[in-house]
Amino acid sequence: MAFDIEMIKKVYATMAERVDKARDLVGRPLTLSEKILYSHLWEGMPSQAFSRGKDYVDFAPDRVACQDATAQMALLQFMHAGKKTVAVPTTVHCDHLIQAKVGATTDLAVANSQSKEVFDFLSSVSNKYGIGFWKPGSGIIHQIVLENYAFPGGMMIGTDSHTVNAGGLGMLAIGVGGADAVDVMSGMSWELKFPKLIGVKLTGKLNGWTAPKDVILKVADILTVKGGTGAIVEYFGEGATNMSCTGKGTICNMGAEIGATTSTFGYDDSMRRYLAATGRQDVVDAADTVAAYLTGDAEVYANPNQYFDQVIEINLSELEPHINGPFTPDRGTPVSKMKEEATKNDWPLKVEWGLIGSCTNSSYEDMARAASIVEQAVAHGITPKAEFGINPGSEQIRYTIERDGIIATFEKMGTKVFTNACGPCIGQWDRAGADKGEKNTIVHSFNRNFSKRADGNPNTHAFVTSPEMVAALAISGDLSFNPITDTLLNDKGEAVKLNPPTGDELPKRGFDVEDAGFQAPAADGSSVQVVVSPTSDRLQLLAPFDPWDGNNITGAKLLIKAFGKCTTDHISMAGPWLRFRGHLDNISNNMLIGAVNAFNQEANKVKNQITGQYDAVPAVARAYKAANVPSIVVGDQNYGEGSSREHAAMEPRFLGVKAVLVKSFARIHETNLKKQGMLALTFANEADYDKIKEDDTFNFVDLTSFAPNKPLTIEIVHADGSKENILANHTYNDSQIGWFKAGSALNLIAAAGNA
């Protein structure tokens, strides 16, 4: 039986009536995305039609999921809310704080020792507040959600940008910051600007070496890393129904890399098969009663250009395997063009490592298809040229692939089997030799390949591709190897051509596991004590941020003018910094240390206007804070791209930054800044970015009349005394302005709880 089956049945019980009412209000057929949105309104029954990309709307998500790195701050904030238990089903998953180095057994033992304080904290908070807790080693949050919690037509939020993975089971699953999660966990509404809709029509059928991964690699190449911002991507067509459920999950997962709010697929037989195989026939039975409401209306898919804001069509029968990168997940190269592209751009052709796993590609099908390539190489006497590692998505996956001989197949090639955790995907990889900073190439099936993300080496060229292609490229050791046309030499000097991959969508003998790693919360957690040591360097109880004093911000100094791509990895790095995710003061020492200073093209070296000296960004920010001098950050396009980590917003807030002024924001980061009581602003004229000088001071002229749809005027005072005014746009509504005035959204929640 499924977790929370009664909640799922309640969702379905009201869906038909709400969707029918919404269809009447909108006056046309509805997409699947619209059906789920309108059936999850905070008000219940729809009473008006909403404008895409314009109207802020309050929703009532069905559940919340948190991973251990972000859960610390989310739960520290929730403890301030004054609630006895969470208002909706919530889970915490320990998957980020486990480093990949030696192998699963050793690495997990090390993590349990090094991060015991954090795991014990998360376990006790979960126990106290009615939260399901998945122990270290149980698996990656998004794979576990897909296996246990996701359901067609549902809405969930999660404190990780790849929460969107659950769209593979027909959900609207959306990545958020911890403050948003606290809203929902506290029983409040969750606000989202009604998304635009991008339709992706999939025709034909995947064949040969092409995998579901190639669909999203192609979409990323088309839309770029910001092309999906503010939109839901809805996949449909015969190509969609011809694909496995976990393949759909892979596609939705990497939708985070195009900035999409989320991605989803309509309910179909692949979902029925997956739900049944993972012990949730009861969900199938319930979903089948409203099946017509769990996919878009037929008229929508027949004439998509009439109903979506943008339509993309991809013929899967003609789609070629892609290899995206380096340094950005939207730079797509078909495998047949890689040799030409790599040579032209001086990318290292020698592949040093092949890595399979992460929340993106760690399903049974992924492992089985990759193993089929390894099996061929072993049978033909081909020695792999690169090192190889895998991260199973969950203990259930690991146990089942071990039972079915898939792990044994990988191990014939010397593959390292890492813990059921994120590992290298999020920088938790102790890679031998990475500290040398040598230029090299790795290939992986992960979702992100930003500079330094996997191993900390800025010269590692990381390329994203399917698990099958990772296996082929790792075996060949050559980035330009095309398994469709090229051959490999075996130990006898014979030329061998690999056959296309094969693998079961689901295990023929069913899934199996001895201990999945789940800990149910106490029935009554009122007596559970949550202890945080005041001397801990890993955990720190939060103090509320100060409310706005009602005056214009004046005398603000420029902290940094970030140049080019500035993701949340640049603003708040992961890797070794993950250990401080529950300690705001300590984690703030990584604030913006990866951002490139536009004035000297160096990272973590900015001018302190008080002393005239150059120093690390956090050090300068702390100097301004100590002197009661406000500061601002200036940035480029799509600022805050990447992870949902709210630390990238909390750290500047903690260190005295008052405003972030950029050309454009990634959705989650903009919301996170707002939630923490900061000013998230965009240049009304993007060319004004070029006016910002290193010694500038900023005065807000009309903040005292801060209002929706009204730009703010900022006076820039240059070092020579000259002044000029610029306009800054914003997207704040009345309630969000309330967050700013209160000092943070959490301050309002706490005030309501204490009223």
Side-chain angles (χ1 to χ4, degrees):
M1 179 180 288
F3 286 97
D4 310 311
I5 186 62
E6 294 307 315
M7 176 270 285
I8 295 171
K9 289 179 178 177
K10 287 181 180 178
V11 172
Y12 292 156
T14 59
M15 180 166 277
E17 185 181 19
R18 293 181 180 184
V19 171
D20 288 345
K21 178 64 174 177
R23 195 184 287 111
D24 289 341
L25 290 167
V26 175
R28 56 168 173 75
L30 298 178
T31 64
L32 167 63
S33 303
E34 290 171 313
K35 291 180 181 181
I36 300 176
L37 290 168
Y38 277 107
S39 64
H40 283 83
L41 297 175
W42 180 252
E43 65 179 344
M45 188 65 67
S47 61
Q48 66 177 101
F50 296 106
S51 297
R52 299 176 191 167
K54 294 182 180 178
D55 292 336
Y56 280 99
V57 182
D58 289 334
F59 293 99
D62 301 312
R63 65 176 313 110
V64 175
C66 309
Q67 41 92 338
D68 51 353
T70 54
Q72 295 170 67
M73 200 58 71
L75 294 179
L76 284 165
Q77 292 179 85
F78 180 73
M79 290 167 65
H80 276 277
K83 305 296 181 179
K84 292 183 178 180
T85 187
V86 290
V88 301
T90 302
T91 52
V92 166
H93 305 258
C94 296
D95 62 357
H96 274 56
L97 300 178
I98 305 168
Q99 190 175 57
K101 182 177 182 179
V102 178
T105 302
T106 300
D107 294 347
L108 182 57
V110 169
N112 275 321
S113 174
Q114 291 182 343
S115 294
K116 183 178 187 302
E117 178 186 16
V118 173
F119 294 146
D120 287 349
F121 166 75
L122 294 174
S123 174
S124 63
V125 174
S126 297
N127 212 18
K128 183 174 184 65
Y129 294 109
I131 298 169
F133 180 72
W134 289 82
K135 302 173 187 177
S138 61
I140 304 172
I141 174 173
H142 312 303
Q143 181 66 32
I144 288 190
V145 166
L146 200 70
E147 291 178 359
N148 296 276
Y149 299 112
F151 66 97
M155 174 185 277
M156 69 173 287
I157 61 171
T159 60
D160 189 286
S161 56
H162 295 107
T163 299
V164 294
N165 189 83
L169 251 176
M171 289 196 92
L172 287 190
I174 301 171
V176 299
D180 275 0
V182 170
D183 282 355
V184 177
M185 291 158 65
S186 300
M188 299 174 63
S189 61
W190 174 65
E191 183 185 72
L192 177 71
K193 184 178 285 187
F194 205 83
K196 294 183 178 181
L197 300 176
I198 298 174
V200 180
K201 182 178 182 179
L202 302 178
T203 61
K205 188 174 184 179
L206 294 170
N207 63 89
W209 281 88
T210 309
K213 183 76 159 205
D214 296 303
V215 176
I216 185 58
L217 294 177
K218 180 65 175 177
V219 170
D221 187 48
I222 294 169
L223 289 177
T224 77
V225 291
K226 64 176 185 175
T229 303
I232 294 175
V233 181
E234 184 171 324
Y235 293 85
F236 61 95
E238 61 172 338
T241 56
N242 286 334
M243 200 180 297
S244 69
C245 179
T246 52
K248 292 178 173 71
T250 291
I251 293 170
C252 292
N253 184 299
M254 261 197 80
E257 272 51 76
I258 58 172
T261 301
T262 191
S263 304
T264 195
F265 286 79
Y267 182 50
D268 62 13
D269 284 341
S270 74
M271 296 183 192
R272 292 183 177 93
R273 292 193 299 271
Y274 185 76
L275 286 165
T278 51
R280 291 175 287 172
Q281 182 61 44
D282 49 351
V283 177
V284 176
D285 295 340
D288 281 347
T289 65
V290 289
Y293 294 89
L294 302 178
T295 189
D297 288 336
E299 299 94 329
V300 170
Y301 295 157
N303 301 286
N305 288 298
Q306 296 181 28
Y307 301 99
F308 291 97
D309 297 291
Q310 182 179 355
V311 177
I312 297 169
E313 185 168 339
I314 299 174
N315 185 340
L316 301 185
S317 300
E318 299 174 356
L319 182 63
E320 187 177 344
H322 274 58
I323 304 169
N324 283 28
F327 307 127
T328 187
D330 62 344
R331 182 172 185 167
T333 303
V335 63
S336 64
K337 303 291 185 184
M338 180 49 80
K339 186 172 185 177
E340 175 187 344
E341 282 295 304
T343 302
K344 180 174 66 177
N345 291 286
D346 194 29
W347 298 335
L349 288 176
K350 182 184 177 183
V351 175
E352 305 279 355
W353 265 91
L355 296 157
I356 295 173
S358 97
C359 58
T360 329
N361 279 109
S362 54
S363 69
Y364 184 91
E365 182 181 39
D366 291 327
M367 296 296 175
R369 286 173 61 85
S372 75
I373 305 305
V374 173
E375 189 70 69
Q376 290 182 62
V378 171
H380 287 292
I382 299 171
T383 302
K385 301 300 190 296
E387 294 190 74
F388 213 166
I390 64 170
N391 286 79
S394 69
E395 175 57 15
Q396 178 167 269
I397 294 292
R398 188 211 63 79
Y399 189 94
T400 305
I401 64 175
E402 182 177 53
R403 180 202 67 191
D404 292 352
I406 293 173
I407 285 183
T409 296
F410 279 117
E411 288 178 335
K412 291 175 185 175
M413 194 170 277
T415 302
K416 283 190 177 182
V417 181
F418 295 124
T419 313
N420 315 317
C422 302
C425 181
I426 49 120
Q428 283 286 57
W429 183 23
D430 189 355
R431 181 187 178 190
D435 56 337
K436 297 178 183 177
E438 295 174 344
K439 186 175 179 179
N440 74 103
T441 284
I442 65 173
V443 294
H444 60 56
S445 69
F446 307 158
N447 35 46
R448 293 194 177 128
N449 56 349
F450 303 145
S451 174
K452 300 192 285 188
R453 182 174 175 90
D455 62 3
N457 177 4
N459 297 312
T460 292
H461 291 55
F463 293 86
V464 182
T465 190
S466 68
E468 301 91 322
M469 283 296 299
V470 169
L473 294 173
I475 291 165
S476 71
D478 183 358
L479 182 64
S480 67
F481 175 68
N482 182 352
I484 301 171
T485 58
D486 299 347
T487 58
L488 298 170
L489 289 179
N490 67 8
D491 53 6
K492 298 177 183 177
E494 301 166 336
V496 176
K497 187 177 180 184
L498 297 172
N499 293 321
T502 59
D504 292 330
E505 172 187 319
L506 297 163
K508 288 186 173 68
R509 296 163 57 193
F511 287 106
D512 202 359
V513 67
E514 285 186 349
D515 179 7
F518 176 70
Q519 172 188 294
D524 180 1
S526 58
S527 62
V528 175
Q529 296 297 310
V530 179
V531 179
V532 175
S533 169
T535 60
S536 172
D537 68 351
R538 298 289 301 270
L539 297 165
Q540 179 187 48
L541 294 176
L542 295 174
F545 291 128
D546 292 334
W548 177 48
D549 63 8
N551 299 317
N552 283 321
I553 297 170
T554 58
K557 300 298 184 183
L558 176 69
L559 178 61
I560 185 173
K561 178 180 175 180
F563 175 80
K565 186 185 281 284
C566 191
T567 71
T568 50
D569 275 26
H570 294 85
I571 304 168
S572 177
M573 288 184 176
W577 290 96
L578 284 172
R579 68 188 306 270
F580 297 123
R581 282 284 180 86
H583 197 293
L584 183 55
D585 195 3
N586 285 345
I587 192 70
S588 293
N589 287 323
N590 79 357
M591 185 190 73
L592 284 159
I593 64 175
V596 175
N597 181 357
F599 300 108
N600 57 18
Q601 295 299 304
E602 294 186 54
N604 204 26
K605 186 177 180 181
V606 296
K607 188 173 185 179
N608 181 332
Q609 292 191 47
I610 296 175
T611 66
Q613 302 299 308
Y614 286 84
D615 206 339
V617 183
V620 174
R622 288 183 186 275
Y624 289 155
K625 181 180 179 181
N628 291 317
V629 174
S631 59
I632 80 164
V633 169
V634 171
D636 213 317
Q637 295 280 8
N638 206 31
Y639 184 89
E641 168 194 344
S643 168
S644 67
R645 66 189 67 149
E646 67 184 337
H647 300 76
M650 295 187 78
E651 292 172 32
R653 180 73 167 98
F654 179 71
L655 293 185
V657 176
K658 300 298 184 183
V660 178
L661 174 62
V662 300
K663 292 180 181 178
S664 64
F665 282 107
R667 176 190 63 85
I668 299 176
H669 187 62
E670 181 183 17
T671 300
N672 285 347
L673 290 168
K674 291 178 177 181
K675 285 279 187 176
Q676 299 303 332
M678 293 184 68
L679 292 171
L681 309 173
T682 56
F683 290 102
N685 179 2
E686 289 187 2
D688 287 344
Y689 171 90
D690 298 322
K691 294 180 179 178
I692 308 300
K693 300 184 180 351
E694 192 171 29
D695 295 311
D696 282 348
T697 299
F698 302 85
N699 299 316
F700 285 76
V701 174
D702 51 6
L703 186 59
T704 52
S705 58
F706 191 17
N709 303 312
K710 179 185 176 185
L712 291 173
T713 302
I714 303 175
E715 179 187 64
I716 307 173
V717 182
H718 300 303
D720 62 2
S722 62
K723 301 177 181 179
E724 55 186 318
N725 287 351
I726 64 170
L727 288 180
N729 292 334
H730 65 84
T731 59
Y732 287 76
N733 58 27
D734 283 326
S735 64
Q736 293 170 348
I737 291 174
W739 302 342
F740 169 74
K741 291 180 176 179
S744 72
L746 180 60
N747 286 355
L748 289 178
I749 296 175
N754 294 325

